Each structure stands twice: as C-alpha cells, then as structure tokens.
Amino acid sequence: MGELHGSGYSSRLAANVRALLPMSGKPTRVSVWILGGLVLALIAGGTWWIRPSRAAATPTIAFIPQTAGAMLWEVEHFGAMAAAGNVKCHLYWNAPTSESDMAGQISLVDKVGRGKYQGLVLAPNHTLGIRAPLSRAVAAGLPVVIVSADLDLPASRKLAYIVNDDEKMGELAAAELARQIHGKGDIALIGLARFAPGITSRVRAAERVLSSRFPGIHVVNRGIGAYNISRVETLTNAALDSNPGLSAVLSFTAVSTRGVYSVLKTRSLQRSVTLVGCEQDSDLIGYLANGEIAAIVAENTYRMGYEAVGLISGAWAGRPMPARSMVPPFLITKQNLNSAEAGIFTSFPK
C-alpha cells in the first residue's frame, strides 16, 4: 500500500469532526445524521488518500542464449521481443561471451534465480554444468523454457522444452552432402560433442542416412570441437593431411563450420572440398552466397523465441506448459537463399 499523502491525516480527521459538533447543548437528531454523513465522506476521502502510489510492476522474462552477436541467437531475440510486445512484458536479454563460456552462463542463470524475474528462457551451452543452477531456479517457482537443445532434466509444470529437430537436421545435412558429391567419396565429420545430446542426435542421424542410402560414401575421419574453433582447425588440417583425396566435410555447429571453412580457405580448397554445415550465422550465409559453402541446415530460432515467451505468459495465467515441442529445421542453399522461407531463418526484422 502506498504512503499517505501528507502527514497527520488522523489528527486532521479528528479535528474536522470536532469542528462539526455544536458549540453548546446536545446535538439534534438532524445534526447527528449530518455529522455521520460527513464523517463517512471524510473516511471515504481517506481511502483515496491512501491508494497505492503506482500500478503493479510489469513482469520481466530473462532470456539467456548461448552467446550474443550470432545470427542464430539474435534472430531468436527478435522472436522473443515480438512475443513480449504482444503479452505486455519486459525482456531482459544477457548472454555469455561465447558458446564455450559455461561458467558465464551458469553465473547468469544463478543471477536470474536470485533476482526479481517472472520467467526464464535458456539456450544451454552445456548440458551438465547448467543443471544445478537451473534446478534451483525451477525449485524457486520460476517458469523456465529451454530452447534449441535438450537437457536430461525432466519436464514439469515449471519446466518445458522447445527444441530444434536435431535428427531431421542431421538427415537433411547428410542427404544434401551426398547429393553434392553424387553419392560417392571420402568425407569427414567435424564438430562432434559428447556432452551435447542434440549434436549427438544430428551425428547419428547423418551417419544412418549415409550408411543406409549411400554405400559409395565413406566416413574416414571424425573430429570433435563443436564449440572450439581452434580445435576444429587443428582437426580439419589433420583430416586433410591424412586424406588428400577428401571429397567433403559435414559440420554440425556454426562454430565448427566456421573453423572448417577457415582451413579450406587458407589451403585454397573451399571450392574443391564440399562443405555442408548445421546452424546459420551471418558470415556463413555470406560464404554460401559466394558458392564457398554448399549448404547450411538452419534452426528456426525466431519461432523458438516467440513461442517460449508465449508459454511463460500462459503459465502466469495458470495454463500448463506443454512438456516438449519440436521445431523443424530448413535446408538453405544458394538456390533458395533469397526465398521468403529462407528469410525466416536468416533475416533481422526491420
């Protein structure tokens, strides 16, 4: 309740009542009725004086992506902002310094859990380290939506998932790579990550498609480094040195695709070794437009951000959050790059 407007309100009220009493003698029946009405009016006026001085605060949803500045997450930011405008809430956006900054993301989640926020959207950059602070946030009653990547925390009334269809992403990437090299050749798989279930799903789906449908394609090298560009560059150089006839590379994250491209560019192989990547970013889309990357399978992060904010606002109204929603990816090539459908995955709203 807000503060009283002015001091000594009770004493002024008493003084006003006394002033209404007759100077001498007993009050008449009429004067008593008049006095009672005036007192009620003064009390009613007092309730106006002690109304709250301001309206209830607008709710705030915290949004923590894997990092800032990347197309993948900035497009998601725009989706979340569009939804926040619709439901009339604030959006607090903060991000780690890079996809590999696990400590930074953990610190941000802890800050949100201790702060005055009414919801959290998180794109985790590590599936193990983030569990403890995330569990604390959920235990505190904060509605949480995990976007893009799965975790091994079970969904609940306060925890929901909106994730990329990673299996479909791996299938699309493998099929397009096979089409680009006409179903035969030696290839490398780069950007694997044991700690990321989504990336593991991409890899398994890609290998399943290649082994079942394209017997002329041989995987001769597998390299980790989903979010470590220097390691990817080292492993790509080693793969090229040990396999001089390498036909193509299939990369499973934007970071690993950037590392592979850097090595191919340095060795003047960006047009002779086919590169197909997963996850979009501005520089990678530019290389694709120049014909130096064959294809990129993109995540629909705009839709994930938009729907995540909608789920949290629904939770405020008592609506249950669906446990898990899956968003399909989209294959982008030079041929469809300028299409309206591709623009959903690569454009920043004006």
Side-chain angles (χ1 to χ4, degrees):
M1 182 176 290
E3 296 180 356
L4 292 178
H5 292 261
S7 61
Y9 175 75
S10 333
S11 58
R12 289 203 309 273
L13 177 59
N16 289 335
V17 171
R18 286 194 301 271
L20 293 170
L21 293 173
M23 296 298 293
S24 63
K26 295 182 180 180
T28 66
R29 183 183 299 274
V30 172
S31 66
V32 169
W33 280 105
I34 293 172
L35 178 61
L38 289 171
V39 170
L40 289 173
L42 286 168
I43 293 172
T47 63
W48 179 86
W49 281 69
I50 57 174
R51 282 177 185 170
S53 58
R54 61 182 179 180
T58 303
T60 300
I61 295 174
F63 201 129
I64 303 175
Q66 287 187 0
T67 190
M71 175 183 284
L72 199 66
W73 310 120
E74 292 305 321
V75 170
E76 189 167 56
H77 189 184
F78 279 108
M81 287 178 64
N86 290 342
V87 302
K88 303 296 188 292
C89 72
H90 292 311
L91 192 70
Y92 166 76
W93 175 271
N94 206 344
T97 56
S98 70
E99 294 93 342
S100 60
D101 183 12
M102 181 176 65
Q105 190 171 66
I106 289 172
S107 175
L108 288 172
V109 172
D110 267 331
K111 176 184 175 182
V112 169
R114 295 191 303 267
K116 297 180 179 180
Y117 301 94
Q118 287 70 50
L120 169 64
V121 182
L122 173 71
N125 60 20
H126 199 285
T127 58
L128 297 179
I130 204 68
R131 288 181 58 185
L134 191 60
S135 296
R136 288 193 289 270
V138 173
L142 203 64
V144 177
V145 178
I146 304 298
V147 294
S148 186
D150 269 316
L151 297 176
D152 58 359
L153 287 174
S156 65
R157 290 183 63 254
K158 293 292 185 180
L159 177 64
Y161 290 86
I162 303 176
V163 298
N164 178 60
D165 188 342
D166 289 301
E167 185 171 332
K168 185 66 175 178
M169 176 172 269
E171 292 171 353
L172 287 173
E176 179 61 19
L177 180 141
R179 188 186 73 82
Q180 292 277 347
I181 62 175
H182 309 291
K184 59 182 180 180
D186 294 340
I187 71 167
L189 306 180
I190 301 292
L192 284 66
R194 291 184 295 273
F195 59 81
I199 295 173
T200 300
S201 293
R202 297 174 194 178
V203 175
R204 288 175 177 167
E207 292 192 296
R208 185 173 62 248
V209 167
L210 293 172
S211 62
S212 63
R213 294 171 50 189
F214 303 101
I217 294 177
H218 307 287
V219 178
V220 296
N221 188 278
R222 292 173 176 83
I224 57 176
Y227 301 117
N228 188 323
I229 195 167
S230 61
R231 174 166 286 189
V232 166
E233 289 173 346
T234 298
L235 293 172
T236 303
N237 273 310
L240 290 167
D241 290 340
S242 58
N243 301 279
L246 198 70
S247 299
V249 177
L250 177 50
S251 167
F252 293 97
T253 68
V255 173
S256 61
T257 303
R258 188 174 294 114
V260 173
Y261 172 82
S262 176
V263 170
L264 295 180
K265 178 81 169 179
T266 299
R267 298 172 70 140
S268 300
L269 296 173
Q270 72 271 28
R271 295 186 184 275
S272 56
V273 175
T274 298
L275 173 58
V276 172
C278 297
E279 302 177 353
Q280 67 273 32
D281 208 349
S282 300
D283 57 339
L284 304 179
I285 294 296
Y287 305 147
L288 186 149
N290 292 335
E292 297 177 307
I293 291 180
I296 294 173
V297 187
E299 292 187 29
N300 193 340
T301 52
Y302 184 96
R303 176 176 163 184
M304 292 180 205
Y306 188 95
E307 292 186 358
V309 170
L311 288 188
I312 289 176
S313 67
W316 298 336
R319 293 193 294 272
M321 297 193 297
R324 192 169 185 270
S325 304
M326 192 172 290
V327 179
F330 181 72
L331 176 69
I332 302 177
T333 64
K334 187 175 182 179
Q335 288 68 39
N336 69 5
L337 176 58
N338 295 319
S339 67
E341 190 170 11
I344 296 171
F345 296 78
T346 61
S347 299
F348 302 105
K350 294 182 173 61

